[in-house]
Amino acid sequence: MKYTELDTPSLIINKEIMMNNIKFMQEHANKYGVSLRPHTKTHKMPRLAKIQEECGAKGIAVAKVGEAEVMAQNGINDIFIANEIVGESKIQRIRKLSETINISFGVDSPEQIEVIEKVFEGASKKAQVLVEIEVGEERSGIIEEKDFEILLTCIKDCKNVHFKGIFSHDGHSYAAESIEACKDLYEISVKRTLGFAKIAEELGCKAEVVSIGSTPSLMHDFGIMEGVTEIRPGTYILMDASQGNAIGSYERCAATVLTTVISRPTSERVITDVGAKGITAQTRNRGICATRGLGYIKDYNEVYIHDVYDEHTIIYNKEFRDTVRIGYKVEIIPNHICPVCNLYDKAYLVSNGEVLEELNIECRGQLK
């Protein structure tokens, strides 16, 4: 069927654009001789994760244990949980996963290590941990060298925990004021990460994995420094309005939300049948990823979403209002695709206007 015949709202993925994005990032990794481990929290779909692996990805990254469990159930057997995992129940679930797949996860405190050591007592394999390094995003991760040394000492004293490496995320690059500023932030972040890798080696704990990355910095060829072993972008596969702004084009945006015009109550106002529950109310207000409005109407010049209610999109644009009629379907490029995917049970893979496949979003709602 034609994808425009789908009921709305529906999440649409253009196959050709998606595949070009996958190949683009894989070629970038290959160029510098590093592994690509896509962060699948963007799409939450095992089917797409398998395609990424088939195109050369080493494995995948996820954000939560629940996502790792679903991905493993669907045949993915090399998974990194790029997050601090806290709590005995979650560590128990990781221990169970480690019996059948290669799984590693993030740490940044000795308190975590104490619980991991206890839970993995008697396990057939040691817990595989990577220490997160905070590189400027002001989120989680090690900041001070002394704390890093204390954490490594704690890991070295364990018999059930293996130090696999370090990872970082230059998420603050989203707010860089220019491409040059993005490059500077990226290089500072990578140098800081490699500095901690050197400290680890000096302490007798050589990192097998040094994992970096975010989509804005890796969509531009800033190079990859020697010592990095892995890149971990996520959004690149589908892109969105914010990432499109970062590269100066929406041509790489593979995902859209198909929506129907349901009202034209004034000479300028148009209402469609998707709201915050289908596209979110997210914006980015700084830097190269800054967005206008709450989403961009594809194929209509300079038409943005003015506001959203739970189930309504509000657009003010006289030319757009005069063009569309009740029942017309249009596509929205979301500002941030990652939470949008988590709002749908399925997506539709399309090519040349035809629906090729329904994609179940199996990791939807896996927040634990």
Side-chain angles (χ1 to χ4, degrees), residues 89-322:
S89 63
K90 288 184 174 67
I91 304 301
Q92 288 281 8
R93 290 158 63 193
I94 291 175
R95 173 176 169 165
K96 184 175 181 181
L97 282 170
S98 73
E99 296 171 0
T100 55
I101 69 167
N102 295 319
I103 186 161
S104 54
F105 57 102
V107 298
D108 73 355
S109 68
E111 291 88 345
Q112 287 175 273
I113 302 302
E114 293 172 9
V115 177
I116 296 166
E117 173 73 357
K118 174 186 173 183
V119 170
F120 270 76
E121 179 64 35
S124 58
K125 292 190 291 187
K126 291 184 177 183
Q128 307 290 306
V129 301
L130 281 78
V131 177
E132 182 173 16
I133 308 302
E134 208 280 299
V135 292
E137 188 179 25
E138 298 184 351
R139 202 168 64 177
S140 51
I142 290 286
I143 298 172
E144 303 294 338
E145 291 182 8
K146 61 179 176 58
D147 293 326
F148 185 58
E149 294 171 3
I150 290 170
L151 181 56
L152 283 185
T153 299
C154 182
I155 295 172
K156 286 172 67 176
D157 290 340
C158 291
K159 63 178 182 178
N160 302 319
V161 184
H162 172 66
F163 171 72
K164 188 172 182 178
I166 61 177
F167 73 107
S168 63
H169 175 58
D170 57 313
H172 53 311
S173 64
Y174 285 63
E177 292 302 322
S178 65
I179 300 304
E180 190 59 38
C182 182
K183 181 180 180 181
D184 290 342
L185 290 174
Y186 166 76
E187 291 180 346
I188 291 168
S189 298
V190 177
K191 288 177 181 177
R192 176 171 165 80
T193 306
L194 290 170
F196 277 89
K198 183 178 179 181
I199 293 170
E201 186 169 5
E202 290 170 350
L203 292 172
C205 299
K206 183 175 175 59
E208 303 163 32
V209 175
V210 179
S211 181
I212 66 161
S214 69
T215 292
S217 55
L218 292 171
M219 287 299 294
H220 299 90
D221 192 350
F222 297 151
I224 298 178
M225 297 178 192
E226 185 176 350
V228 171
T229 69
E230 176 180 282
I231 58 173
R232 210 179 58 257
T235 314
Y236 77 94
I237 182 175
L238 300 179
M239 298 290 280
D240 52 31
S242 69
Q243 299 294 342
N245 291 337
I247 64 171
S249 171
Y250 294 148
E251 291 182 1
R252 287 189 177 274
C253 293
T256 58
V257 172
L258 185 69
T259 183
T260 300
V261 174
I262 60 172
S263 180
R264 300 161 68 240
T266 76
S267 62
E268 293 186 332
R269 188 190 310 157
V270 175
I271 315 296
T272 81
D273 68 348
V274 65
K277 291 180 180 179
I279 58 168
T280 81
Q282 288 205 353
T283 61
R284 296 193 188 277
N285 55 18
R286 294 174 52 210
I288 58 175
C289 289
T291 54
R292 285 178 57 186
L294 299 175
Y296 177 72
I297 309 303
K298 184 178 179 179
D299 298 328
Y300 290 89
N301 188 39
E302 297 294 305
V303 179
Y304 298 88
I305 295 169
H306 173 76
D307 200 2
V308 293
Y309 292 85
D310 282 354
E311 308 292 355
H312 297 76
T313 286
I314 316 298
I315 301 163
Y316 282 97
N317 186 291
K318 187 178 188 309
E319 184 178 350
F320 177 70
R321 192 266 184 196
D322 290 343

Side-chain angles (χ1 to χ4, degrees), residues 33-46:
V34 299
S35 299
L36 172 61
R37 183 180 294 275
H39 204 317
T40 60
K41 73 176 179 65
T42 292
H43 56 73
K44 290 177 166 276
M45 299 177 225

Side-chain angles (χ1 to χ4, degrees), residues 51-70:
I51 292 173
Q52 289 172 301
E53 285 194 332
E54 289 165 3
C55 289
K58 174 182 174 59
I60 65 167
V62 298
K64 297 296 179 75
V65 180
E67 290 176 336
E69 289 169 332
V70 173

